[in-house]
Amino acid sequence: MQNIKYLIVGVVFGTVFVKAEILSWFRIQEMFQMQSFFMYGAMTTAVSVGILSVWLIKRFKLKTINGEPITFENKKFSKGQIYGGLVFGIGWAITGSCPTSLFVQIGSGFLAITLTFLSALAGTWVYGRFKEKLPH
Amino acid sequence: MIEIIKQPWNWAVAGILSGLIVPALLLLGNKKLGVSSTFRDVCAMCVPSDVPFFNYDWKKGIWNMFFAMGLLLGGFLATQFLSYPHNIEVAEDTRTLLSTYGIDDFSQMMPSQLFGFENLFTFKGFIFFILGGFLVGFGTRYAGGCTSGHIIMGLSNLQIPSLIATCFFMIGGVFSANVLLPLIFKFL
């Protein structure tokens, strides 16, 4: 039951994806064709709100609602962010989907997207299987 | 009120609400936004196959599974109860370009001409569902995160690796949309 709160936050995020049409293949094409400001505006605003929130949490040493400390870890640089980044970018423009959109699209009734989802799982598995052989 | 919510939302509203997901998860339980890790958890849960990358305690990611189920449910509820019948808003230039690809049905969020059931097991479907999906899953894991994990969460915490990932997401996307997709549509 502890986890229901995360489900509710997910519902809010999913609703945003539907109402701002971020789950749409068309929005992603507009963005990568640089023909619309919409996605750039949305991402810049989201990141600004996020930066301010994280700063406030650190500045005032805020705790979780259960009184635990909030911790942050630094991400390590790896060449994976370059190679994997390019690979994901290519797939993002083809499918119009990021991992978040995949869940929202299926929920919205685009059931054929389940195949994209399964294929994304396969991609994740293949990465895990061949991780050691890939440049990082 | 409900009538206002039913209208398509503008980017600032979407941005502010998406940004607030970051502190919401942190304050609720010190959780970091990142959806692609659920894919790894599902692999670890279902087909670990003695691959070291999938042999870990996936139960720690259960909260994220609930979050992902929330995304699914949010998609369902918003589409069922907050939808507003209209053609998808697409920039005029994009609309013109897509029509040269034979995509002129803007009545749904996903173009029926690409993502309809009838394309599932065709060459078109192979490119748009299977190859595209594979690149999304493989690429996000290789990059250590996706749009939510790197662009929203990582940049919010001022992480340079996330900035690098974000730049390469965009480079890959621009290349794919401007170079690869025109080629693909030429052969379809």
Side-chain angles (χ1 to χ4, degrees):
Chain A
M1 289 313 283
Q2 269 297 311
N3 286 315
I4 296 295
K5 52 187 191 259
Y6 303 116
L7 183 113
I8 295 165
V9 181
V11 168
V12 174
F13 203 27
T15 302
V16 171
F17 266 62
V18 173
K19 291 312 302 170
E21 302 178 347
I22 294 169
L23 80 164
S24 172
W25 187 84
F26 297 113
R27 275 261 191 272
I28 307 305
Q29 301 310 314
E30 273 182 354
M31 166 173 69
F32 288 133
Q33 293 292 338
M34 315 250 181
Q35 288 165 335
S36 166
F37 177 71
F38 193 101
M39 286 296 290
Y40 297 102
M43 287 195 286
T44 317
T45 312
V47 171
S48 308
V49 170
I51 289 175
L52 183 66
S53 313
V54 169
W55 181 80
L56 286 170
I57 287 172
K58 287 180 178 172
R59 170 72 181 73
F60 295 102
K61 300 196 171 59
L62 296 183
K63 293 198 165 25
T64 68
I65 49 169
N66 295 326
E68 300 150 71
I70 296 176
T71 54
F72 294 94
E73 283 135 40
N74 286 328
K75 299 199 189 226
K76 271 201 210 106
F77 172 73
S78 113
K79 285 182 207 136
Q81 283 128 23
I82 296 175
Y83 302 130
L86 286 173
V87 171
F88 165 57
I90 290 170
W92 190 9
I94 293 175
T95 58
S97 312
C98 59
T100 307
S101 315
L102 286 174
F103 286 103
V104 187
Q105 285 160 353
I106 294 170
S108 299
F110 297 102
L111 298 181
I113 301 295
T114 308
L115 187 59
T116 318
F117 181 87
L118 292 175
S119 190
L121 283 180
T124 304
W125 192 88
V126 168
Y127 169 75
R129 173 71 183 74
F130 296 101
K131 182 174 183 276
E132 307 307 324
K133 298 197 168 89
L134 294 164
H136 281 89
Chain B
M1 181 67 187
I2 196 86
E3 282 311 308
I4 298 174
I5 293 175
K6 279 188 168 188
Q7 306 280 324
W9 297 358
N10 88 1
W11 55 263
V13 175
I16 291 168
L17 288 173
S18 305
L20 288 175
I21 303 295
V22 169
L25 293 177
L26 289 168
L27 292 169
L28 285 174
N30 193 23
K31 303 297 189 218
K32 317 293 183 279
L33 173 67
V35 175
S36 63
S37 47
T38 59
F39 291 5
R40 182 183 178 186
D41 292 336
V42 172
C43 288
M45 199 184 304
C46 304
V47 267
S49 320
D50 276 334
V51 174
F53 189 68
F54 298 118
N55 286 304
Y56 64 95
D57 183 14
W58 50 264
K59 290 194 184 76
K60 284 193 176 138
I62 281 293
W63 75 272
N64 213 357
M65 240 30 115
F66 275 82
F67 182 75
M69 286 308 109
L71 293 173
L72 203 98
L73 187 61
F76 175 76
L77 295 174
T79 304
Q80 288 295 311
F81 302 110
L82 299 175
S83 65
Y84 172 85
H86 68 296
N87 271 358
I88 302 304
E89 288 172 28
V90 188
E92 203 47 52
D93 295 340
T94 312
R95 186 183 290 262
T96 313
L97 175 77
L98 295 180
S99 64
T100 67
Y101 298 159
I103 293 167
D104 51 14
D105 177 6
F106 297 94
S107 62
Q108 294 188 69
M109 300 262 192
M110 300 301 279
S112 58
Q113 286 137 333
L114 293 178
F115 298 100
F117 270 106
E118 66 280 8
N119 289 335
L120 268 184
F121 301 106
T122 61
F123 179 63
K124 205 188 237 182
F126 174 78
I127 302 279
F128 285 91
F129 292 107
I130 297 183
L131 179 70
F134 187 91
L135 297 176
V136 168
F138 184 88
T140 50
R141 199 69 274 125
Y142 196 175
C146 57
T147 37
S148 51
H150 273 313
I151 302 186
I152 304 183
M153 183 65 225
L155 292 185
S156 294
N157 192 25
L158 307 176
Q159 297 295 300
I160 299 295
S162 292
L163 182 62
I164 295 169
T166 302
C167 291
F168 284 93
F169 291 165
M170 300 312 291
I171 294 171
V174 167
F175 171 76
S176 179
N178 291 279
V179 181
L180 293 181
L181 280 176
L183 274 175
I184 291 170
F185 280 110
K186 209 173 263 183
F187 289 103
L188 282 182

